[in-house]
Amino acid sequence: MTLSRRTLLATSAAVAATTGTAQAAPAHGGRRLRTGFEQLAADGYAPLDGQRVGVVTNPTGVTRDARHIVDVMHADDRVDLIAVFGPEHGFRGTAQAGGSEGRYDDPATGLPVYDTYLKSGRPLADVFTASGVDTVVFDIQDVGARFYTYIWTMFDCMEAARLAGKRFVVLDRPNPVTGRAALGPVLHKEFATFVGRQPVSQAHGMTVAELARLFNGEFLTSPVPLETVRMSGWKRSEFYDASGLPWVPPSPNMPTPETALVYSGTCLFEGTNLSEGRGTTRPFELLGAEGLDGRWAAAANELGLPGVRFREAYFAPTFSKFQGKTVGGVQVHVHDREVFDPVRAGIGLLVTAKRVWDGFAWRPDNWIDKLTGSARVRTMIDAGADTDEVVAGWQEELAAFRATRRQYLLYR
């Protein structure tokens, strides 16, 4: 029997999705991690059988051999893929922070791509209805921080799928900075925005499938029909480099897993008049402003924070704050990620920057309150609190979140 070209494409796509390249390295100890998509493909896409499918994804939705899952599924007759939904930065990732790609037809597949960015509730439910899908699939790489918007895209899509009467399937991927512990302050509901919809800690220590279970069990108005496709071979203690998976930047200013390692702490500088390193090759690792010098690095190092050192650094951002100007500050060097606490480090850097630089200021809209989840961090630092005092301020609420979180974990 002669196989059609489409059948051959579908067969090769399924094999690639489930086995990856022959040279792919196994995870530590000879284990091989399989993402939720790899598990889905290995099961013959059974959870999607008979369903018209739409996928919420971005450039991170890739197979082990770095092909996009939309391209793989589109070539596979076992999946009736009829739509793609793009988040912030877009499906193919062409937009910068605060942007999206809008509505268009994907040139590679011909599939309609719908824009979800800044849509929620009934307007987003109407998008799902108009697309004609029965099941909405979510597959995006998260970085482990509450204010990284993709998890709230997932939350909004879950609520919209419920309103539209659609199923919701989450394909899991590793938390790149491990799933060991939740860290940092918990969002207070009155500070809810797109960088934090619900009471979650600043570094949540969960995978997207675990978060979906948490959202469904604790925060949605009523549950959505939810299915999570787990990974195999992932341990909570592992960083991204143990996965053997390619790293695709989830957004333009998240170029490496090392960026993700510091992000849940140093992103707080978005709420200040200092540069958070956008417009450099080391966003969120380089921080600075005009008028800062080596005193900041010296003060930060005196804190004795575990696993990290701060180097006096000078840089000229090509866009964003201080575009084209040379500024002084620090570069964050994590030398022992096993003991590094990014949230404590972020607080320590805020405290010391304010102490050594007279020009320090919060963003006029108090964006820092949205990032930290309340006014407490800002007001405590303004009142002269040190790093330990600020961190102590959220321990009670963090303990309560950790207890709730524990019920929804899928991995050891």
Side-chain angles (χ1 to χ4, degrees):
M1 179 178 68
T2 302
L3 296 177
S4 69
R5 182 175 182 273
R6 181 168 177 80
T7 301
L8 287 169
L9 283 171
T11 302
S12 64
V15 169
T18 55
T19 65
T21 61
Q23 291 78 28
H28 292 329
R31 287 177 292 107
R32 175 176 172 136
L33 183 147
R34 275 187 169 183
T35 64
F37 176 76
E38 289 177 305
Q39 294 289 90
L40 178 74
D43 196 29
Y45 302 99
L48 307 182
D49 187 42
Q51 300 284 300
R52 292 169 298 178
V53 176
V55 180
V56 183
T57 190
N58 71 355
T60 66
V62 295
T63 62
R64 183 171 294 275
D65 60 351
R67 290 188 302 151
H68 202 282
I69 68 164
V70 166
D71 300 325
V72 173
M73 288 193 288
H74 179 255
D76 197 319
D77 289 327
R78 296 175 296 176
V79 186
D80 187 11
L81 181 62
I82 67 168
V84 181
F85 305 101
E88 183 180 8
H89 306 295
F91 160 47
R92 295 293 187 182
T94 64
Q96 267 288 350
S100 60
E101 294 174 335
R103 166 69 177 89
Y104 67 99
D105 292 337
D106 178 46
T109 62
L111 290 167
V113 180
Y114 299 86
D115 186 11
T116 71
Y117 183 48
L118 298 181
K119 295 182 178 69
S120 60
R122 179 55 62 183
L124 183 53
D126 290 344
V127 172
F128 289 157
T129 299
S131 72
V133 303
D134 303 309
T135 295
V136 178
V137 174
F138 182 92
D139 189 357
I140 292 179
Q141 177 64 58
D142 182 40
V143 301
R146 182 189 61 235
F147 34 63
Y148 207 55
T149 60
Y150 297 135
I151 62 173
W152 303 115
T153 293
M154 181 174 71
F155 177 84
D156 290 342
C157 288
M158 290 174 69
E159 178 68 12
R162 181 191 68 80
L163 291 171
K166 311 299 182 183
R167 294 171 64 238
F168 202 83
V169 176
V170 178
L171 308 181
D172 214 4
R173 289 185 180 269
N175 184 324
V177 295
T178 81
R180 293 175 183 172
L183 301 169
V186 176
L187 177 81
H188 296 191
K189 285 297 291 288
E190 62 269 30
F191 290 86
T193 66
F194 192 44
V195 294
R197 295 274 197 234
Q198 298 293 338
V200 171
S201 65
Q202 192 164 307
H204 51 70
M206 303 177 78
T207 69
V208 288
E210 292 172 336
L211 282 166
R213 285 161 46 85
L214 172 74
F215 294 165
N216 217 32
E218 301 292 330
F219 302 139
L220 289 183
T221 306
S222 60
V224 65
L226 174 67
E227 184 165 349
T228 56
V229 183
R230 296 177 52 167
M231 297 175 285
S232 64
W234 186 70
K235 291 187 176 182
R236 307 201 73 82
S237 60
E238 292 178 338
F239 291 89
Y240 196 82
D241 55 8
S243 71
L245 298 170
W247 176 262
V248 177
S251 56
N253 291 288
M254 193 63 60
T256 69
E258 288 72 28
T259 319
L261 185 61
V262 301
Y263 176 76
S264 61
T266 56
C267 182
L268 297 181
F269 281 85
E270 286 187 354
T272 74
N273 62 338
L274 283 79
S275 167
E276 63 276 10
R278 292 182 188 274
T280 76
T281 59
R282 287 290 181 177
F284 304 107
E285 296 176 62
L286 284 169
L287 310 166
E290 287 186 296
L292 269 169
D293 55 28
R295 292 173 298 164
W296 187 20
N301 283 322
E302 285 176 4
L303 297 175
L305 298 173
V308 64
R309 294 287 293 176
F310 305 100
R311 181 183 66 84
E312 177 183 357
Y314 298 88
F315 56 95
T318 59
F319 63 86
S320 192
K321 299 172 185 173
F322 303 107
Q323 179 177 353
K325 298 179 179 179
T326 298
V327 300
V330 300
Q331 182 174 357
V332 181
H333 291 271
V334 178
H335 61 82
D336 187 349
R337 63 187 183 179
E338 299 292 338
V339 298
F340 174 62
D341 180 336
V343 181
R344 181 182 288 271
I347 296 298
L349 285 166
L350 288 172
V351 168
T352 51
K354 184 173 175 59
R355 287 182 181 172
V356 303
W357 184 44
D358 291 340
F360 180 94
W362 304 110
R363 229 170 80 172
D365 58 358
N366 285 337
W367 186 244
I368 188 67
D369 298 354
K370 307 301 191 298
L371 294 171
T372 59
S374 75
R376 181 178 51 220
V377 166
R378 174 176 55 83
T379 56
M380 288 187 72
I381 291 176
D382 281 348
D386 64 22
T387 303
D388 289 341
E389 289 170 330
V390 176
V391 171
W394 64 63
Q395 293 307 311
E396 185 174 342
E397 65 190 30
L398 178 60
F401 174 73
R402 284 173 171 170
T404 300
R405 164 185 175 272
R406 196 173 300 121
Q407 306 170 56
Y408 298 100
L409 301 183
L410 294 169
Y411 310 92
R412 292 190 169 189

